[in-house]
Amino acid sequence: MALIDTEINQVVLYLGSGITGLILLSWLSRRVGKGIKKRFFAWLMDRSCKAMYKQVRNEKAILFDSMTGLRDKLNRDLVICEIGSGNGMNFKHYPRGSKLICVEPNQYTISYLEENIRDRNPSLTLKEFICGFAENMPGIDDGSVDVVVCTLVLCSVKSQKEVLSEVLRILRPDGQFYFMEHVADRPGTFLRKMQNWFTPAWEFVVDRCRLNNDARAALDEAGFTSVRITDFKYPTWFLLLKPWIYGVATK
């Protein structure tokens, strides 16, 4: 009972700060245009992604470790499509010489991507920047990509099924999908019930992000020949965001 009370108190505290954020977002919606808002969120994402990366850098190092082996196996530079590339925090893990296709709904992130490559990852090439959504990527040919990367995106897409279908379409045979996501806890747990209860409010405040998204099930049902998933706990006091997964799925 004491544990449950502690969890509830933490959730209530977080929702209080979330309401404050919602008020700020509402004020921005009334006061500024869409372009200014997107610029602001691109700037905010740049800073928040850097802070979050520090918490998961070890897991990301493990996740992307096999990518160099894939390049050596193919004996050529990789073509990598990253969905929701943000400011390019994953770029440091990509093999030298990789050619990047970045799919991102906010066009104002491109300056951060270009700065990242120019200043920290000059061996990479930004082959194409596509301002759009992962559910529909007609600009990328079938079987034209060696690797697709997606970190903290499946929680907020309109359809995980459609996104993963597009991933399979653009991957070459034996291509690999690297992912890292916060997810719903196991069915039937107290934490899962709490995630279900608070998802509508969270989704409204945090731009469609769903606490109870079941990316694990979506990956298992997508049609990959193999899916390797590792569970871990994100180091946060906010219990509803603690369950995370990372892994690699092969077409």
Side-chain angles (χ1 to χ4, degrees), residues 20-146:
T20 302
L22 179 58
I23 293 171
L24 176 60
L25 289 176
S26 299
W27 181 85
L28 284 172
S29 298
R30 293 193 301 270
R31 298 289 181 176
V32 302
K34 289 184 178 180
I36 295 176
K37 282 191 292 184
K38 286 189 175 183
R39 288 180 187 273
F40 169 74
F41 286 123
W43 172 85
L44 184 64
M45 182 186 300
D46 178 57
R47 278 139 186 84
S48 61
C49 285
K50 289 175 181 177
M52 183 172 288
Y53 175 82
K54 294 177 181 179
Q55 303 296 325
V56 295
R57 56 189 169 191
N58 292 335
E59 287 79 10
K60 283 197 174 184
I62 296 170
L63 169 63
F64 293 118
D65 182 60
S66 64
M67 204 177 281
T68 298
L70 179 61
R71 180 198 61 186
D72 294 341
K73 178 181 177 181
L74 296 175
N75 195 29
R76 59 173 173 78
D77 295 333
L78 297 179
V79 178
I80 301 173
C81 173
E82 181 164 352
I83 297 169
S85 48
N87 64 349
M89 285 303 297
N90 293 325
F91 290 0
K92 65 184 70 180
H93 297 286
Y94 296 166
R96 295 177 61 84
S98 296
K99 299 175 177 60
L100 310 182
I101 301 171
C102 294
V103 180
E104 167 63 50
N106 188 338
Q107 70 269 33
Y108 295 108
T109 62
I110 190 170
S111 62
Y112 298 101
L113 295 177
E114 292 173 337
E115 177 186 358
N116 187 318
I117 291 174
R118 181 182 65 249
D119 297 344
R120 295 183 289 279
N121 299 284
S123 72
L124 305 180
T125 301
L126 182 58
K127 180 180 179 182
E128 189 173 5
F129 179 87
I130 299 174
C131 185
F133 296 92
E135 288 89 347
N136 184 26
M137 299 183 285
I140 305 177
D141 293 336
D142 295 2
S144 61
V145 172
D146 301 307

Side-chain angles (χ1 to χ4, degrees), residues 144-200:
S144 61
V145 172
D146 301 307
V147 169
V148 177
V149 175
C150 175
T151 57
L152 295 181
V153 172
L154 293 178
C155 61
S156 58
V157 298
K158 293 181 180 178
S159 171
Q160 293 179 344
K161 181 179 180 179
E162 291 178 12
V163 169
L164 295 176
S165 177
E166 278 288 85
V167 168
L168 284 165
R169 179 185 67 79
I170 67 176
L171 277 174
R172 66 167 178 80
D174 297 322
Q176 295 187 332
F177 176 52
Y178 289 74
F179 56 88
M180 178 178 285
E181 301 288 340
H182 75 81
V183 293
D185 200 32
R186 300 287 182 178
T189 64
F190 173 77
L191 183 55
R192 178 65 172 264
K193 293 176 182 178
M194 293 291 289
Q195 288 173 321
N196 291 337
W197 291 339
F198 286 103
T199 283

Side-chain angles (χ1 to χ4, degrees), residues 203-241:
E203 189 174 4
F204 184 64
V205 173
V206 194
D207 195 23
R208 302 190 307 274
C209 176
R210 297 180 298 278
L211 293 167
N212 63 349
N213 87 86
D214 200 351
R216 186 196 311 274
L219 286 160
D220 287 338
E221 298 168 3
F224 291 98
T225 58
S226 69
V227 181
R228 293 185 285 110
I229 295 177
T230 298
D231 292 87
F232 73 103
K233 298 297 185 183
Y234 181 74
T236 177
W237 63 266
F238 185 45
L239 295 177
L240 303 188
L241 278 179

